[in-house]
Amino acid sequence: MQIDRKGTIAEQSLQLKMVEVKNKWGWVVTVCTFIVIIPVTGIPSSFGVIFVKLQEEYEITDLETGWIGSVAFGIIFIASPISTGLFKRYGHRKVAVAGVVLCSTGMLASSFVTLPSLLFLTYSLLYGVGTNFIDNSSLNLIGLYFPRKNSARATCFATLGWSVGSLAFNPLVEVLCSHIGWRHTFRIFSGVLCVVGIPCVLTYSPVPRERPCKEVGSSNLHPECSTRSNKVQEPQTFGRYVISFQKAFQAPGMWLLIVGTVLACLSLLFPFVNMIKFMTTIGIPELRGAFALTVMGIADLLGRITTSLVGDRLPFHVIYLYCLSYVVMALSIFSLLLITSFSGMVIFVSGFGFCTGVINSILFKACMDLFGMEILPEAWTLTVVAGGLAVMVGPSIAGVTYDHTQSFSVAFYIGGVCTFWQHSFSCVFHGFRRGKAGTGESMARFYR
């Protein structure tokens, strides 16, 4: 019995050391994700500046120019089924490396186009797919490293790259485009993406798989190891991939979440694509408009930092924070109907940016808690695909209404109403989920 006890103690010590090493490398992956996300997402987040530069060179309407940016944003999310299937088959690192190559190639090719329609191929498609490959594989890998403890802190910190990218690249793009033009700016960014991106994504090592360890003298699994599995993962095939999505579609409340996400994203991208154009219509120059987007980036950053600090310690479910943020966003959008000054715009972008940061940083954590780790990649993919479809349409609605009315008022009404409806769908979804399946862990057991 003494020998067995010593063996058990040695095994437990070894397993805990493996868990400690795994968690430390998980933070390396998280920090590298944060670094690579800064330029990768900062470029499309600054499309409001590029929007104006493209219209100066090409005589195209707001609708046509807006579609270039909105399609790129949409593909960043819509390509998730492709990237999810690829990283489950070939691993997160290979998919992320391919994403960096696509982004760099897209930037370089975009700098040489002579027709604006070609930007749909080089910028919207190539760059959008590449960004998705990096972002989707990174977040899912972090979720595997931190399935429970520090899950909100790690995922929220990684997504801080979105805020820092928006914060840094809006004024940077404005300055570079003003001095050397948008074409040379794109060529510089192409090189930066390779230099920064490749070393970061090479750290995306697979999560070590260790046997579950037991507490000494007990048949219960150690809490740090209880989420691990000694089951060998079967190779990913197309058939298994389809079955996994069928399980995700059957998840209680999934369709409510999809509809709510579509409604929210119909208005979410307006500030990134049409904001500077709107400010010029109320007498605010482009340079001050770029500064307003910088303020929104700071507010978004503060929202993500706040969520990363309190996301794991909330006394209530994160879905309630999600709903509250959308209420504030809806009120902010309606306030644009009354704003006519730069100070009013600063107040708007501060509130809107903070709520955007909270929502975007907590959404992955919410999917983890609501649906469990077993169907997380598929549930997350369905959520972002729904958002991507709406993102492609939302800014274009603003462009169409402005081209016909020379005013953004109709777009503000549509955006505010959709955001309020999203809040309602999120509340109904949470109640429906609680009544059907309880926690994400119980859902995972239900779908096995």
Side-chain angles (χ1 to χ4, degrees), residues 237-284:
T237 63
F238 181 76
R240 292 193 180 96
Y241 190 51
V242 172
I243 292 174
S244 64
F245 271 101
Q246 290 177 344
K247 292 181 179 180
F249 271 117
Q250 296 171 2
M254 173 58 74
W255 281 105
L256 288 173
L257 182 62
I258 290 175
V259 174
T261 303
V262 169
L263 291 173
C265 291
L266 282 174
S267 60
L268 190 58
L269 263 288
F270 167 81
F272 298 107
V273 178
N274 303 99
M275 179 64 74
I276 292 182
K277 177 69 175 181
F278 167 69
M279 283 188 279
T280 59
T281 65
I282 59 176
I284 299 175

Tab-separated table of all heavy atoms in Angstrom, residues 237-284:
chain	number	residue	atom	x	y	z
A	237	THR	N	-12.255	14.389	-40.212
A	237	THR	CA	-12.704	14.125	-41.576
A	237	THR	C	-13.902	15.014	-41.868
A	237	THR	O	-14.495	15.616	-40.965
A	237	THR	CB	-13.110	12.658	-41.762
A	237	THR	OG1	-14.230	12.370	-40.903
A	237	THR	CG2	-11.951	11.722	-41.424
A	238	PHE	N	-14.255	15.114	-43.148
A	238	PHE	CA	-15.383	15.960	-43.519
A	238	PHE	C	-16.674	15.477	-42.871
A	238	PHE	O	-17.505	16.274	-42.421
A	238	PHE	CB	-15.535	15.988	-45.046
A	238	PHE	CG	-16.662	16.855	-45.521
A	238	PHE	CD1	-16.543	18.233	-45.520
A	238	PHE	CD2	-17.858	16.288	-45.954
A	238	PHE	CE1	-17.591	19.043	-45.945
A	238	PHE	CE2	-18.915	17.084	-46.387
A	238	PHE	CZ	-18.772	18.465	-46.381
A	239	GLY	N	-16.850	14.153	-42.817
A	239	GLY	CA	-18.060	13.613	-42.201
A	239	GLY	C	-18.175	13.966	-40.735
A	239	GLY	O	-19.240	14.366	-40.258
A	240	ARG	N	-17.078	13.816	-39.980
A	240	ARG	CA	-17.094	14.181	-38.559
A	240	ARG	C	-17.312	15.681	-38.390
A	240	ARG	O	-17.950	16.129	-37.437
A	240	ARG	CB	-15.785	13.751	-37.893
A	240	ARG	CG	-15.593	12.239	-37.793
A	240	ARG	CD	-14.450	11.904	-36.851
A	240	ARG	NE	-14.252	10.460	-36.757
A	240	ARG	CZ	-13.369	9.776	-37.459
A	240	ARG	NH1	-12.588	10.421	-38.326
A	240	ARG	NH2	-13.248	8.479	-37.332
A	241	TYR	N	-16.757	16.454	-39.324
A	241	TYR	CA	-16.917	17.906	-39.253
A	241	TYR	C	-18.387	18.292	-39.415
A	241	TYR	O	-18.909	19.144	-38.684
A	241	TYR	CB	-16.060	18.544	-40.350
A	241	TYR	CG	-15.934	20.041	-40.248
A	241	TYR	CD1	-15.548	20.651	-39.067
A	241	TYR	CD2	-16.173	20.851	-41.351
A	241	TYR	CE1	-15.400	22.018	-38.978
A	241	TYR	CE2	-16.033	22.224	-41.281
A	241	TYR	CZ	-15.642	22.799	-40.089
A	241	TYR	OH	-15.515	24.159	-40.008
A	242	VAL	N	-19.069	17.673	-40.355
A	242	VAL	CA	-20.493	17.958	-40.569
A	242	VAL	C	-21.316	17.540	-39.350
A	242	VAL	O	-22.217	18.266	-38.902
A	242	VAL	CB	-20.998	17.239	-41.838
A	242	VAL	CG1	-22.518	17.371	-41.959
A	242	VAL	CG2	-20.313	17.818	-43.069
A	243	ILE	N	-21.003	16.383	-38.783
A	243	ILE	CA	-21.727	15.906	-37.600
A	243	ILE	C	-21.534	16.860	-36.431
A	243	ILE	O	-22.477	17.131	-35.672
A	243	ILE	CB	-21.255	14.486	-37.232
A	243	ILE	CG1	-21.685	13.495	-38.307
A	243	ILE	CG2	-21.805	14.071	-35.869
A	243	ILE	CD1	-21.152	12.085	-38.107
A	244	SER	N	-20.329	17.392	-36.265
A	244	SER	CA	-20.081	18.321	-35.163
A	244	SER	C	-20.923	19.586	-35.310
A	244	SER	O	-21.411	20.140	-34.315
A	244	SER	CB	-18.597	18.678	-35.099
A	244	SER	OG	-18.183	19.382	-36.262
A	245	PHE	N	-21.143	20.057	-36.539
A	245	PHE	CA	-21.995	21.226	-36.742
A	245	PHE	C	-23.466	20.881	-36.529
A	245	PHE	O	-24.248	21.731	-36.086
A	245	PHE	CB	-21.780	21.813	-38.139
A	245	PHE	CG	-20.678	22.831	-38.191
A	245	PHE	CD1	-19.432	22.494	-38.667
A	245	PHE	CD2	-20.881	24.119	-37.738
A	245	PHE	CE1	-18.407	23.409	-38.701
A	245	PHE	CE2	-19.874	25.058	-37.763
A	245	PHE	CZ	-18.627	24.704	-38.253
A	246	GLN	N	-23.850	19.667	-36.841
A	246	GLN	CA	-25.223	19.249	-36.553
A	246	GLN	C	-25.494	19.282	-35.054
A	246	GLN	O	-26.563	19.716	-34.610
A	246	GLN	CB	-25.463	17.844	-37.105
A	246	GLN	CG	-25.517	17.775	-38.629
A	246	GLN	CD	-25.681	16.351	-39.136
A	246	GLN	OE1	-25.460	15.381	-38.407
A	246	GLN	NE2	-26.050	16.218	-40.401
A	247	LYS	N	-24.514	18.861	-34.248
A	247	LYS	CA	-24.657	18.929	-32.801
A	247	LYS	C	-24.781	20.375	-32.339
A	247	LYS	O	-25.593	20.688	-31.449
A	247	LYS	CB	-23.464	18.269	-32.118
A	247	LYS	CG	-23.378	16.756	-32.293
A	247	LYS	CD	-22.175	16.201	-31.550
A	247	LYS	CE	-22.082	14.694	-31.678
A	247	LYS	NZ	-20.896	14.146	-30.948
A	248	ALA	N	-23.976	21.245	-32.938
A	248	ALA	CA	-24.029	22.654	-32.545
A	248	ALA	C	-25.379	23.271	-32.892
A	248	ALA	O	-25.944	24.044	-32.113
A	248	ALA	CB	-22.899	23.425	-33.214
A	249	PHE	N	-25.941	22.920	-34.050
A	249	PHE	CA	-27.244	23.440	-34.437
A	249	PHE	C	-28.333	22.972	-33.474
A	249	PHE	O	-29.342	23.661	-33.273
A	249	PHE	CB	-27.595	22.996	-35.855
A	249	PHE	CG	-27.114	23.936	-36.912
A	249	PHE	CD1	-26.186	23.534	-37.848
A	249	PHE	CD2	-27.591	25.235	-36.975
A	249	PHE	CE1	-25.727	24.400	-38.830
A	249	PHE	CE2	-27.158	26.118	-37.956
A	249	PHE	CZ	-26.214	25.695	-38.889
A	250	GLN	N	-28.151	21.788	-32.870
A	250	GLN	CA	-29.146	21.246	-31.944
A	250	GLN	C	-29.035	21.857	-30.546
A	250	GLN	O	-29.906	21.627	-29.714
A	250	GLN	CB	-28.983	19.731	-31.841
A	250	GLN	CG	-29.257	18.983	-33.148
A	250	GLN	CD	-28.865	17.519	-33.053
A	250	GLN	OE1	-28.422	17.052	-32.015
A	250	GLN	NE2	-28.998	16.796	-34.158
A	251	ALA	N	-27.977	22.619	-30.296
A	251	ALA	CA	-27.780	23.194	-28.958
A	251	ALA	C	-28.947	24.107	-28.607
A	251	ALA	O	-29.356	24.943	-29.420
A	251	ALA	CB	-26.473	23.968	-28.915
A	252	PRO	N	-29.515	23.968	-27.412
A	252	PRO	CA	-30.638	24.815	-26.998
A	252	PRO	C	-30.287	26.296	-27.083
A	252	PRO	O	-29.280	26.742	-26.538
A	252	PRO	CB	-30.880	24.388	-25.550
A	252	PRO	CG	-30.343	22.999	-25.467
A	252	PRO	CD	-29.168	22.959	-26.393
A	253	GLY	N	-31.111	27.037	-27.796
A	253	GLY	CA	-30.923	28.475	-27.887
A	253	GLY	C	-29.961	28.937	-28.956
A	253	GLY	O	-29.767	30.150	-29.107
A	254	MET	N	-29.363	28.032	-29.712
A	254	MET	CA	-28.373	28.443	-30.705
A	254	MET	C	-28.973	29.395	-31.734
A	254	MET	O	-28.377	30.405	-32.110
A	254	MET	CB	-27.777	27.214	-31.393
A	254	MET	CG	-26.838	27.535	-32.572
A	254	MET	SD	-25.451	28.585	-32.126
A	254	MET	CE	-24.430	27.422	-31.238
A	255	TRP	N	-30.183	29.077	-32.195
A	255	TRP	CA	-30.795	29.924	-33.220
A	255	TRP	C	-31.125	31.308	-32.665
A	255	TRP	O	-31.063	32.305	-33.395
A	255	TRP	CB	-32.051	29.252	-33.774
A	255	TRP	CG	-31.728	28.182	-34.768
A	255	TRP	CD1	-31.788	26.833	-34.582
A	255	TRP	CD2	-31.245	28.379	-36.097
A	255	TRP	NE1	-31.379	26.173	-35.712
A	255	TRP	CE2	-31.040	27.096	-36.660
A	255	TRP	CE3	-30.960	29.504	-36.861
A	255	TRP	CZ2	-30.578	26.925	-37.964
A	255	TRP	CZ3	-30.490	29.328	-38.148
A	255	TRP	CH2	-30.303	28.050	-38.689
A	256	LEU	N	-31.493	31.390	-31.401
A	256	LEU	CA	-31.746	32.701	-30.797
A	256	LEU	C	-30.470	33.541	-30.770
A	256	LEU	O	-30.492	34.742	-31.046
A	256	LEU	CB	-32.296	32.537	-29.380
A	256	LEU	CG	-33.734	32.019	-29.258
A	256	LEU	CD1	-34.082	31.756	-27.799
A	256	LEU	CD2	-34.702	33.035	-29.863
A	257	LEU	N	-29.348	32.895	-30.437
A	257	LEU	CA	-28.081	33.611	-30.416
A	257	LEU	C	-27.689	34.062	-31.817
A	257	LEU	O	-27.172	35.171	-32.004
A	257	LEU	CB	-26.989	32.726	-29.827
A	257	LEU	CG	-25.598	33.374	-29.700
A	257	LEU	CD1	-25.658	34.575	-28.770
A	257	LEU	CD2	-24.579	32.367	-29.193
A	258	ILE	N	-27.928	33.230	-32.818
A	258	ILE	CA	-27.596	33.579	-34.196
A	258	ILE	C	-28.396	34.796	-34.657
A	258	ILE	O	-27.846	35.750	-35.218
A	258	ILE	CB	-27.839	32.377	-35.126
A	258	ILE	CG1	-26.792	31.279	-34.865
A	258	ILE	CG2	-27.795	32.802	-36.591
A	258	ILE	CD1	-27.035	30.009	-35.647
A	259	VAL	N	-29.701	34.771	-34.414
A	259	VAL	CA	-30.552	35.900	-34.819
A	259	VAL	C	-30.139	37.175	-34.096
A	259	VAL	O	-30.059	38.260	-34.690
A	259	VAL	CB	-32.038	35.576	-34.554
A	259	VAL	CG1	-32.910	36.799	-34.825
A	259	VAL	CG2	-32.487	34.411	-35.421
A	260	GLY	N	-29.872	37.069	-32.796
A	260	GLY	CA	-29.449	38.230	-32.036
A	260	GLY	C	-28.131	38.799	-32.547
A	260	GLY	O	-27.963	40.025	-32.623
A	261	THR	N	-27.204	37.937	-32.914
A	261	THR	CA	-25.915	38.393	-33.436
A	261	THR	C	-26.086	39.113	-34.761
A	261	THR	O	-25.439	40.137	-35.015
A	261	THR	CB	-24.959	37.198	-33.611
A	261	THR	OG1	-24.803	36.530	-32.357
A	261	THR	CG2	-23.606	37.656	-34.104
A	262	VAL	N	-26.961	38.600	-35.629
A	262	VAL	CA	-27.228	39.263	-36.902
A	262	VAL	C	-27.775	40.662	-36.678
A	262	VAL	O	-27.328	41.638	-37.301
A	262	VAL	CB	-28.213	38.430	-37.747
A	262	VAL	CG1	-28.707	39.225	-38.946
A	262	VAL	CG2	-27.564	37.137	-38.211
A	263	LEU	N	-28.728	40.797	-35.771
A	263	LEU	CA	-29.314	42.107	-35.500
A	263	LEU	C	-28.276	43.087	-34.971
A	263	LEU	O	-28.253	44.263	-35.360
A	263	LEU	CB	-30.455	41.960	-34.480
A	263	LEU	CG	-31.708	41.245	-34.975
A	263	LEU	CD1	-32.683	41.012	-33.823
A	263	LEU	CD2	-32.393	42.059	-36.072
A	264	ALA	N	-27.413	42.612	-34.084
A	264	ALA	CA	-26.407	43.496	-33.498
A	264	ALA	C	-25.412	43.974	-34.543
A	264	ALA	O	-25.079	45.162	-34.611
A	264	ALA	CB	-25.691	42.776	-32.364
A	265	CYS	N	-24.935	43.067	-35.377
A	265	CYS	CA	-23.875	43.406	-36.328
A	265	CYS	C	-24.368	44.213	-37.515
A	265	CYS	O	-23.556	44.744	-38.275
A	265	CYS	CB	-23.187	42.132	-36.811
A	265	CYS	SG	-22.207	41.326	-35.519
A	266	LEU	N	-25.674	44.317	-37.703
A	266	LEU	CA	-26.191	45.182	-38.754
A	266	LEU	C	-25.785	46.639	-38.522
A	266	LEU	O	-25.652	47.418	-39.464
A	266	LEU	CB	-27.721	45.079	-38.830
A	266	LEU	CG	-28.286	43.854	-39.534
A	266	LEU	CD1	-29.798	43.815	-39.414
A	266	LEU	CD2	-27.876	43.837	-41.000
A	267	SER	N	-25.571	47.011	-37.270
A	267	SER	CA	-25.213	48.396	-36.969
A	267	SER	C	-23.833	48.533	-36.345
A	267	SER	O	-23.319	49.641	-36.196
A	267	SER	CB	-26.237	49.001	-36.006
A	267	SER	OG	-26.267	48.273	-34.794
A	268	LEU	N	-23.192	47.432	-35.986
A	268	LEU	CA	-21.956	47.492	-35.216
A	268	LEU	C	-20.800	48.084	-36.002
A	268	LEU	O	-19.915	48.726	-35.433
A	268	LEU	CB	-21.582	46.084	-34.736
A	268	LEU	CG	-20.450	45.980	-33.714
A	268	LEU	CD1	-20.775	46.778	-32.467
A	268	LEU	CD2	-20.172	44.535	-33.366
A	269	LEU	N	-20.770	47.901	-37.335
A	269	LEU	CA	-19.614	48.312	-38.119
A	269	LEU	C	-19.708	49.741	-38.634
A	269	LEU	O	-18.777	50.224	-39.263
A	269	LEU	CB	-19.438	47.365	-39.312
A	269	LEU	CG	-18.423	46.243	-39.099
A	269	LEU	CD1	-17.021	46.809	-39.102
A	269	LEU	CD2	-18.671	45.481	-37.825
A	270	PHE	N	-20.818	50.455	-38.365
A	270	PHE	CA	-20.935	51.825	-38.864
A	270	PHE	C	-19.752	52.697	-38.462
A	270	PHE	O	-19.191	53.411	-39.296
A	270	PHE	CB	-22.245	52.461	-38.383
A	270	PHE	CG	-22.293	53.952	-38.600
A	270	PHE	CD1	-22.610	54.471	-39.835
A	270	PHE	CD2	-21.985	54.822	-37.563
A	270	PHE	CE1	-22.624	55.840	-40.040
A	270	PHE	CE2	-22.003	56.189	-37.754
A	270	PHE	CZ	-22.326	56.699	-39.000
A	271	PRO	N	-19.321	52.712	-37.193
A	271	PRO	CA	-18.230	53.611	-36.814
A	271	PRO	C	-16.926	53.341	-37.549
A	271	PRO	O	-16.132	54.255	-37.766
A	271	PRO	CB	-18.067	53.348	-35.301
A	271	PRO	CG	-19.377	52.818	-34.867
A	271	PRO	CD	-19.858	51.994	-36.030
A	272	PHE	N	-16.668	52.078	-37.939
A	272	PHE	CA	-15.402	51.761	-38.581
A	272	PHE	C	-15.389	52.131	-40.065
A	272	PHE	O	-14.336	52.358	-40.637
A	272	PHE	CB	-15.087	50.271	-38.429
A	272	PHE	CG	-14.941	49.839	-37.002
A	272	PHE	CD1	-15.919	49.077	-36.387
A	272	PHE	CD2	-13.836	50.221	-36.270
A	272	PHE	CE1	-15.788	48.682	-35.068
A	272	PHE	CE2	-13.696	49.830	-34.946
A	272	PHE	CZ	-14.678	49.058	-34.350
A	273	VAL	N	-16.537	52.170	-40.704
A	273	VAL	CA	-16.598	52.388	-42.145
A	273	VAL	C	-17.112	53.783	-42.500
A	273	VAL	O	-16.548	54.471	-43.343
A	273	VAL	CB	-17.471	51.309	-42.823
A	273	VAL	CG1	-17.581	51.560	-44.321
A	273	VAL	CG2	-16.899	49.925	-42.551
A	274	ASN	N	-18.187	54.235	-41.864
A	274	ASN	CA	-18.844	55.480	-42.261
A	274	ASN	C	-18.652	56.638	-41.288
A	274	ASN	O	-19.185	57.717	-41.526
A	274	ASN	CB	-20.357	55.235	-42.432
A	274	ASN	CG	-20.661	54.147	-43.429
A	274	ASN	OD1	-20.929	53.011	-43.054
A	274	ASN	ND2	-20.605	54.478	-44.705
A	275	MET	N	-17.926	56.445	-40.204
A	275	MET	CA	-17.853	57.461	-39.162
A	275	MET	C	-17.239	58.767	-39.659
A	275	MET	O	-17.790	59.854	-39.442
A	275	MET	CB	-17.061	56.932	-37.965
A	275	MET	CG	-16.903	57.939	-36.837
A	275	MET	SD	-18.483	58.373	-36.087
A	275	MET	CE	-18.803	56.868	-35.173
A	276	ILE	N	-16.075	58.678	-40.308
A	276	ILE	CA	-15.423	59.897	-40.770
A	276	ILE	C	-16.278	60.601	-41.819
A	276	ILE	O	-16.373	61.836	-41.833
A	276	ILE	CB	-14.021	59.573	-41.315
A	276	ILE	CG1	-13.109	59.135	-40.163
A	276	ILE	CG2	-13.416	60.777	-42.029
A	276	ILE	CD1	-11.680	58.838	-40.571
A	277	LYS	N	-16.934	59.828	-42.687
A	277	LYS	CA	-17.822	60.413	-43.682
A	277	LYS	C	-18.965	61.163	-42.994
A	277	LYS	O	-19.323	62.283	-43.398
A	277	LYS	CB	-18.383	59.312	-44.585
A	277	LYS	CG	-19.380	59.797	-45.622
A	277	LYS	CD	-18.702	60.635	-46.683
A	277	LYS	CE	-19.683	61.007	-47.784
A	277	LYS	NZ	-19.038	61.814	-48.849
A	278	PHE	N	-19.532	60.584	-41.947
A	278	PHE	CA	-20.613	61.245	-41.216
A	278	PHE	C	-20.123	62.541	-40.576
A	278	PHE	O	-20.796	63.580	-40.630
A	278	PHE	CB	-21.173	60.315	-40.140
A	278	PHE	CG	-22.055	61.017	-39.149
A	278	PHE	CD1	-23.298	61.505	-39.511
A	278	PHE	CD2	-21.637	61.194	-37.829
A	278	PHE	CE1	-24.117	62.168	-38.592
A	278	PHE	CE2	-22.437	61.838	-36.901
A	278	PHE	CZ	-23.679	62.328	-37.292
A	279	MET	N	-18.938	62.526	-39.988
A	279	MET	CA	-18.437	63.719	-39.314
A	279	MET	C	-18.153	64.850	-40.297
A	279	MET	O	-18.309	66.028	-39.964
A	279	MET	CB	-17.196	63.372	-38.491
A	279	MET	CG	-17.528	62.652	-37.190
A	279	MET	SD	-16.119	62.435	-36.088
A	279	MET	CE	-15.365	60.998	-36.818
A	280	THR	N	-17.755	64.506	-41.528
A	280	THR	CA	-17.563	65.565	-42.521
A	280	THR	C	-18.886	66.231	-42.886
A	280	THR	O	-18.908	67.412	-43.241
A	280	THR	CB	-16.904	65.002	-43.793
A	280	THR	OG1	-17.726	63.962	-44.344
A	280	THR	CG2	-15.515	64.451	-43.486
A	281	THR	N	-19.996	65.489	-42.774
A	281	THR	CA	-21.306	66.075	-43.099
A	281	THR	C	-21.792	67.042	-42.025
A	281	THR	O	-22.695	67.845	-42.295
A	281	THR	CB	-22.362	64.975	-43.295
A	281	THR	OG1	-22.565	64.275	-42.051
A	281	THR	CG2	-21.937	63.989	-44.364
A	282	ILE	N	-21.220	66.981	-40.826
A	282	ILE	CA	-21.622	67.920	-39.769
A	282	ILE	C	-20.493	68.915	-39.476
A	282	ILE	O	-20.469	69.549	-38.410
A	282	ILE	CB	-22.028	67.192	-38.474
A	282	ILE	CG1	-20.877	66.323	-37.938
A	282	ILE	CG2	-23.261	66.326	-38.716
A	282	ILE	CD1	-21.205	65.652	-36.602
A	283	GLY	N	-19.568	69.046	-40.446
A	283	GLY	CA	-18.560	70.091	-40.351
A	283	GLY	C	-17.299	69.750	-39.597
A	283	GLY	O	-16.511	70.645	-39.259
A	284	ILE	N	-17.046	68.456	-39.329
A	284	ILE	CA	-15.835	68.047	-38.613
A	284	ILE	C	-14.808	67.567	-39.639
A	284	ILE	O	-15.100	66.658	-40.425
A	284	ILE	CB	-16.142	66.927	-37.607
A	284	ILE	CG1	-17.158	67.421	-36.570
A	284	ILE	CG2	-14.872	66.456	-36.911
A	284	ILE	CD1	-17.627	66.343	-35.607
